[in-house]
């Protein structure tokens, strides 16, 4: 069974400081990995994803993440935090449901990290 | 504009009532999903559908039902058998590797 651990349910950074949100996963197959962001009372928006290829992936709003197989990690970073980055962030891992060749893939989510940006 | 719509945004239910949450997508995606979100617990999968007229239970299907009569629509019914239905419900649809989410429906049981 897959699982995702996000270290730190709440992270606070100052505006302009580095953002680092940690995600570790377990998976029995090569994983697809995702970061989503959620603003209050809204749905989830895809920030970035890793499926195959380059292990350093860039996403929207200046975020990037690096897939490290040896560490089973997919940490999210941003060099300089902005007030608008305050939100909840979810890491997720997916694999095909029931081993099927259909289009559905089951996502397993971490419990989320609430990012606060201090002025 | 392509996307996923959910309605209503807010829904109030009395105990013992069934309610149906709507989810529509115009992205031409085959697969659709329903998740439940509770504070501090991330998202949990209720049901998913890979194709019209087919759907499968997820991790927490008890007390819920779905239908998939059209590719664009995947409504979720929260039945009176669901003991703790107050939550935020998210619908998603997917390409071969990525899920995209609707704006959500917040259900409150009075």
């Amino acid at each position: 069974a897959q699982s995702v651990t996000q270290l730190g349910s709440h992270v606070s950074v100052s505006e302009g400081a580095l953002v680092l949100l940690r995600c570790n996963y377990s998976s029995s197959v090569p994983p697809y990995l995702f970061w989503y962001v959620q603003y209050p009372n809204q749905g989830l928006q895809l920030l970035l994803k890793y499926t195959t290829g380059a292990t350093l992936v860039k996403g929207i709003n200046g975020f990037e993440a690096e897939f490290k197989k040896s560490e089973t990690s997919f940490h999210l970073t941003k060099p300089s935090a902005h007030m608008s980055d305050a939100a909840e962030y979810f890491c997720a891992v997916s694999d095909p449901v029931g081993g099927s060749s259909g289009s559905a893939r089951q996502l397993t989510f971490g419990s989320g990290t609430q990012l606060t940006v201090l002025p | 504009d392509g996307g996923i719509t959910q309605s209503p945004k807010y829904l109030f239910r009395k105990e013992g009532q069934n309610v149906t949450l709507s989810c529509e997508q115009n992205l031409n995606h085959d697969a659709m999903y329903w998740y439940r979100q509770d504070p501090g617990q991330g998202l949990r999968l209720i049901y998913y559908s890979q194709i019209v007229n087919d759907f499968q239970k997820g991790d927490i299907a008890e007390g819920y039902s779905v239908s998939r009569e059209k590719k664009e629509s995947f409504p979720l019914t929260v039945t009176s058998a669901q003991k703790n239905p107050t939550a935020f419900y998210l619908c998603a649809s997917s390409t071969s590797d990525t899920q995209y989410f609707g704006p959500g429906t917040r259900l409150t049981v009075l």
Side-chain angles (χ1 to χ4, degrees):
Chain A
Q2 297 180 116
S3 66
V4 177
T5 302
Q6 291 184 239
L7 293 176
S9 58
H10 291 83
V11 171
S12 293
V13 300
S14 297
E15 191 173 19
L18 171 72
V19 176
L20 171 60
L21 304 183
R22 299 178 185 273
C23 173
N24 288 88
Y25 69 91
S26 67
S27 175
S28 58
V29 297
Y32 287 8
L33 295 159
F34 303 82
W35 277 99
Y36 288 88
V37 61
Q38 186 180 33
Y39 298 96
N41 290 310
Q42 295 186 25
L44 273 66
Q45 180 182 7
L46 180 67
L47 271 180
L48 50 78
K49 65 181 180 182
Y50 168 79
T51 55
T52 59
T55 56
L56 180 64
V57 292
K58 296 186 184 297
I60 61 172
N61 302 337
F63 285 93
E64 62 182 38
E66 186 171 11
F67 169 55
K68 292 188 176 181
K69 184 178 179 180
S70 62
E71 299 177 7
T72 61
S73 69
F74 191 56
H75 301 330
L76 181 70
T77 61
K78 181 174 180 178
S80 177
H82 191 273
M83 297 297 288
S84 62
D85 295 326
E88 190 156 23
Y89 292 80
F90 292 94
C91 180
V93 59
S94 83
D95 66 49
V97 289
S100 72
S101 59
S103 59
R105 296 184 68 90
Q106 180 161 349
L107 275 177
T108 300
F109 286 88
S111 55
T113 297
Q114 182 67 47
L115 175 66
T116 299
V117 181
L118 304 170
Chain B
D1 251 354
I4 303 170
T5 57
Q6 292 185 241
S7 62
K9 186 172 178 64
Y10 297 96
L11 184 58
F12 298 90
R13 188 193 97 172
K14 294 181 180 179
E15 286 195 22
Q17 283 183 336
N18 293 354
V19 290
T20 298
L21 282 59
S22 170
C23 177
E24 304 277 334
Q25 56 99 359
N26 61 5
L27 300 169
N28 200 35
H29 291 166
D30 286 320
M32 297 186 73
Y33 312 77
W34 274 104
Y35 292 90
R36 171 183 171 134
Q37 185 177 26
D38 296 282
Q41 294 191 42
L43 279 72
R44 294 180 289 168
L45 182 65
I46 304 172
Y47 269 97
Y48 66 93
S49 168
Q50 297 194 68
I51 199 168
V52 174
N53 292 323
D54 181 68
F55 48 83
Q56 305 296 328
K57 293 181 179 180
D59 300 321
I60 56 165
E62 185 175 352
Y64 300 97
S65 65
V66 293
S67 62
R68 188 83 187 278
E69 298 177 359
K70 299 187 300 181
K71 186 175 185 179
E72 302 80 16
S73 179
F74 191 40
L76 173 74
T77 297
V78 184
T79 76
S80 57
Q82 170 50 236
K83 298 306 179 189
N84 185 23
T86 294
F88 192 50
Y89 290 86
L90 287 159
C91 176
S93 66
S94 71
T95 62
S96 58
D97 60 26
T98 303
Q99 291 187 25
Y100 299 90
F101 287 80
T105 292
R106 186 166 298 281
L107 173 63
T108 302
V109 173
L110 302 174

